[in-house]
Amino acid sequence: RKEVEQDPGPFNVPEGATVAFNCTYSNSASQSFFWYRQDCRKEPKLLMSVYSSGNEDGRFTAQLNRASQYISLLIRDSKLSDSATYLCVVNTRANNLFFGTGTRLTVIP
Amino acid sequence: DAGVTQSPTHLIKTRGQHVTLRCSPISGHKSVSWYQQVLGQGPQFIFQYYEKEERGRGNFPDRFSARQFPNYSSELNVNALLLGDSALYLCASSFQGPTGELFFGEGSRLTVL
């Protein structure tokens, strides 16, 4: 089983739509969770950390469900500029960070 | 301030050759991690160094090795290159170790022919 699993998509949504991504992780001892964004042919950049109580940053909301070992990312009022690949990142054994395969989002005008 | 810098940005090698990739972290960052990203996949963890010691190793063969220097820069070495080693190799630095925010360089794109 992979350390981190995500639906690769692609997700094609119209501008203004709400879209949600889920990610599952295998190590129940994981402590740190992140969402990174990667634009085409660019390096990944941190979008937001995911806290146990859930957290929000503008149009973006991240949730953590430890019991089911998944994290989610909700994007409201999608913009064209949100088109990118969203990477779920979890620290697993030996305290190193593992990335999911990424979920590709395309926001359509 | 300079971000994470990697060199070379692009390189082409043939099977069986050896390659060395270099990374300079953000000033003040003591942790460097290496990732391999194949087209269409997420970055795969290769190594993590903190304070010049290996702190983690991913599921890669012994052909892959790395080290971190006293100035916290790092090298990734790959021996006996295979076609499947063609990928973007990303270096990331962080201040507080692997669970802090990672800052990535633009990567070194390796093509093995």
Side-chain angles (χ1 to χ4, degrees), chain A residues 61-99:
Chain A
T61 301
Q63 296 280 348
L64 168 63
N65 184 319
R66 286 190 183 275
S68 300
Q69 293 180 214
Y70 79 81
I71 66 175
S72 64
L73 176 68
L74 183 76
I75 305 175
R76 292 181 300 277
D77 189 23
S78 298
K79 311 291 185 191
L80 296 177
S81 58
D82 294 334
S83 297
T85 295
Y86 291 83
L87 298 160
C88 171
V89 185
V90 179
N91 86 311
T92 57
R93 55 182 170 80
N95 213 31
N96 293 297
L97 291 179
F98 286 83
F99 285 71

Side-chain angles (χ1 to χ4, degrees), chain B residues 8-69:
Chain B
T9 55
H10 295 81
L11 68 165
I12 299 173
K13 294 283 188 178
T14 58
R15 282 178 296 176
Q17 285 190 310
H18 162 271
V19 67
T20 297
L21 307 178
R22 296 179 175 84
C23 172
S24 293
I26 291 171
S27 178
H29 285 192
K30 299 180 179 179
S31 175
V32 170
S33 302
W34 287 95
Y35 289 83
Q36 180 197 66
Q37 188 172 27
V38 175
L39 193 63
Q41 299 291 317
Q44 297 297 305
F45 172 70
I46 309 175
F47 286 108
Q48 194 258 328
Y49 280 79
Y50 182 69
E51 285 283 17
K52 292 154 281 184
E53 291 187 3
E54 182 183 304
R55 297 299 181 95
R57 175 185 286 252
N59 188 26
F60 279 79
D62 292 342
R63 300 184 295 108
F64 289 76
S65 63
R67 54 180 175 168
Q68 187 176 34
F69 299 100

Side-chain angles (χ1 to χ4, degrees), chain A residues 5-12 19-22 84-86 101-106, chain B residues 40:
Chain A
E5 296 202 57
Q6 299 182 243
D7 179 350
F11 284 67
N12 299 315
V19 61
F21 308 136
N22 289 328
T85 295
Y86 291 83
T101 55
T103 299
R104 182 166 179 80
L105 171 66
T106 301

